[in-house]
Amino acid sequence: MCTIGRISGGTARETHHRRDRKERTLRDGQERTDCGTQRCRSSFLNATFTPRFMKELYVEDCHGKVHNLITQENYEFLRDSFFRYASLMKKEAVHTPGHTPGEGIARLHEEMCNLVGNDMNVNIERDGERLLFRLWKCHGWGEFILYYFPTKFIERLGPELRRISVTFIHNLMRANGINTVLDEDDMDYALTLMSEDDSGETASDRKKRRRLLHSYEEGRIRALLRRVERKSYYKNLPKAIDRYKPKDGYEQSLLSVMKEGLEFLTPEHGIMEYGYDPFYEEEPDFLPMYLSKQIRVIYDCTDMITEYLTDYYNSYSQETYDIIPVTTCDLSPETEELFRMDDYPERFFKWAEKFINITVYTNLNENDRQQRTDQKDQDDAQP
């Protein structure tokens, strides 16, 4: 996608963001408080970007043919879209034509921004040889910074509930375009760091690290993540969930949150479809932090690999900006309704926080119980 009218700009950790690109920053004013796997996202800083006056703008299509986008035809398409949307808003539209198509387009962008007001953002986008207005507005993020869905909890479930859980996560991933960390570039970075020996670590720590590395590369953890990617054991998952009889409070909580999440297995638009980049550049110095880096399936929220992934996110995001869910609306002279947005991302994040809390903190509590049991055994063994 080629655009004009955009200003170029140079789970267990706190995130940091550069403050020298305030026009480009998607989150601003965030409290720098480390709250375990829960942290606060600030509101989006709304801003519009007025295109500079351009006499011509040449682009090359997929067949190698060059087109100029600053044309009288494109100016008229934008002008008629502007008047059409003003009529839908039942507002008077005032347009001052320019001496050239480029000047007229620049004025139309400013006039469209004034028409929709500060609550809405306006970009001019390229669609083939056509220029069009795209309205966009950001959704509210949840409480977490990184929505990392763990799978470690699956290992301690009984066979039937394990199959239900694998099917649920698989269907969640497929419906929303979510991936595991296995094939991501930052996973290569994390595995490389983990493979390096540390002269300061003990023999026991080295053994644990190498065992974890092997599990991610070709062992049990890799197999589990591949299983949730590929396996779906039930064609009628709601029926399987209703049929299962929970054995304790934890299983009841897990089943309850999965029942609540069934609506996210058949959405009209999956969460990744909201990943519009309003500040797109053809050749940026640094790619933005896409939703796929912020929402994904991992093994454990507290192990060394996840710590490396979070550190990588913190480091890289200082150089760029985050993509957060956005709803868009493309305008034309035939537009029939006003911009509207659903609340799917907000509902998704609210539910995801429940799911992650149940699966993460139950594992943490289980680890604490095991550590207390081990310590008691050691104390009892003392003379």
Side-chain angles (χ1 to χ4, degrees):
M1 177 177 62
C2 177
T3 64
I4 71 169
R6 296 188 179 179
I7 293 177
S8 299
T11 37
R13 290 288 187 273
E14 179 180 311
T15 58
H16 308 276
H17 303 279
R18 289 179 65 180
R19 304 303 301 273
D20 58 348
R21 295 185 183 182
K22 58 184 177 182
E23 291 94 345
R24 302 288 301 274
T25 303
L26 289 179
R27 297 187 297 216
D28 189 38
Q30 178 175 328
E31 292 295 328
R32 301 296 198 259
T33 303
D34 189 348
C35 304
T37 57
Q38 295 188 72
R39 291 146 295 179
C40 296
R41 248 180 206 270
S42 67
S43 60
F44 175 73
L45 176 62
N46 284 313
T48 54
F49 300 87
T50 304
R52 64 186 184 276
F53 168 55
M54 303 177 72
K55 293 183 178 180
E56 54 190 23
L57 176 63
Y58 290 96
V59 296
E60 185 175 320
D61 63 22
C62 58
H63 303 292
K65 188 176 180 179
V66 176
H67 305 276
N68 178 25
L69 298 179
I70 308 300
T71 64
Q72 182 67 22
E73 181 182 7
N74 274 334
Y75 160 71
E76 291 175 358
F77 185 88
L78 292 170
R79 179 200 63 198
D80 294 346
S81 300
F82 167 69
F83 281 111
R84 175 63 178 171
Y85 201 72
S87 68
L88 291 174
M89 294 182 68
K90 302 186 185 307
K91 288 186 176 182
E92 180 182 359
V94 179
H95 169 56
T96 305
H99 293 91
T100 65
E103 185 179 353
I105 289 172
R107 289 183 177 180
L108 278 169
H109 182 271
E110 182 178 359
E111 290 159 354
M112 177 61 79
C113 291
N114 292 333
L115 177 70
V116 299
N118 294 330
D119 194 43
M120 190 87 60
N121 301 284
V122 181
N123 277 1
I124 295 179
E125 299 280 355
R126 171 196 171 196
D127 181 14
E129 299 178 42
R130 173 74 66 198
L131 292 181
L132 53 81
F133 283 123
R134 175 167 293 166
L135 307 183
W136 59 277
K137 188 174 181 179
C138 289
H139 288 268
W141 200 266
E143 293 182 2
F144 290 4
I145 292 295
L146 303 176
Y147 282 80
Y148 284 2
F149 291 87
T151 55
K152 182 179 180 180
F153 76 97
I154 294 174
E155 295 177 327
R156 61 187 190 82
L157 301 176
E160 185 177 359
L161 187 53
R162 186 184 308 135
R163 290 192 294 270
I164 289 173
S165 299
V166 168
T167 302
F168 180 87
I169 295 177
H170 170 83
N171 292 350
L172 180 72
M173 293 172 62
R174 191 169 184 179
N176 289 277
I178 300 171
N179 298 318
T180 71
V181 295
L182 288 180
D183 299 317
E184 298 285 347
D185 54 357
D186 54 347
M187 185 62 171
D188 294 335
Y189 160 85
L191 292 175
T192 299
L193 281 183
M194 180 171 275
S195 66
E196 297 174 353
D197 288 339
D198 183 351
S199 59
E201 67 182 344
T202 64
S204 175
D205 289 340
R206 185 178 298 110
K207 185 177 180 179
K208 289 179 182 178
R209 174 177 55 79
R210 290 177 177 175
R211 188 186 301 123
L212 183 63
L213 177 63
H214 176 270
S215 190
Y216 267 100
E217 290 184 325
E218 51 185 309
R220 173 176 50 81
I221 294 176
R222 185 178 184 85
L224 175 60
L225 291 174
R226 289 300 186 204
R227 190 178 312 135
V228 298
E229 278 184 345
R230 300 166 180 170
K231 286 287 187 179
S232 179
Y233 294 98
Y234 299 96
K235 290 185 178 180
N236 190 336
L237 181 60
K239 183 178 179 180
I241 292 176
D242 286 336
R243 187 178 58 221
Y244 183 83
K245 303 301 182 185
K247 297 179 176 60
D248 53 34
Y250 169 69
E251 290 192 354
Q252 180 61 57
S253 297
L254 182 60
L255 287 168
S256 178
V257 77
M258 284 195 289
K259 283 183 180 180
E260 187 179 341
L262 287 174
E263 65 170 304
F264 303 109
L265 306 189
T266 55
E268 182 179 357
H269 303 290
I271 192 65
M272 293 300 170
E273 294 184 49
Y274 293 85
Y276 170 66
D277 180 2
F279 311 121
Y280 173 84
E281 293 181 51
E282 292 247 348
E283 298 180 358
D285 294 333
F286 297 93
L287 292 172
M289 303 304 290
Y290 295 109
L291 285 179
S292 60
K293 285 286 194 295
Q294 303 173 70
I295 308 169
R296 50 188 175 178
V297 172
I298 62 170
Y299 173 65
D300 182 9
C301 285
T302 61
D303 70 11
M304 188 179 295
I305 283 291
T306 303
E307 290 181 1
Y308 286 146
L309 292 174
T310 308
D311 289 344
Y312 179 91
Y313 177 90
N314 287 333
S315 176
Y316 194 91
S317 63
Q318 293 181 54
E319 305 297 333
T320 183
Y321 57 96
D322 299 329
I323 300 296
I324 65 175
V326 169
T327 287
T328 65
C329 175
D330 292 349
L331 303 185
S332 78
E334 289 77 40
T335 298
E336 296 182 351
E337 61 180 7
L338 293 172
F339 176 93
R340 60 184 178 84
M341 58 195 302
D342 60 24
D343 62 347
Y344 181 81
E346 287 83 356
R347 290 186 289 108
F348 178 88
F349 292 132
K350 185 177 180 180
W351 167 82
E353 285 157 9
K354 294 181 182 179
F355 184 88
I356 293 171
N357 274 325
I358 287 173
T359 55
V360 169
Y361 289 118
T362 300
N363 279 326
L364 291 176
N365 293 337
E366 182 69 21
N367 291 337
D368 290 342
R369 286 195 293 270
Q370 185 61 48
Q371 290 175 6
R372 287 196 294 269
T373 299
D374 293 343
Q375 184 62 48
K376 185 176 184 301
D377 291 341
Q378 292 177 16
D379 294 341
D380 292 343
Q382 295 295 327

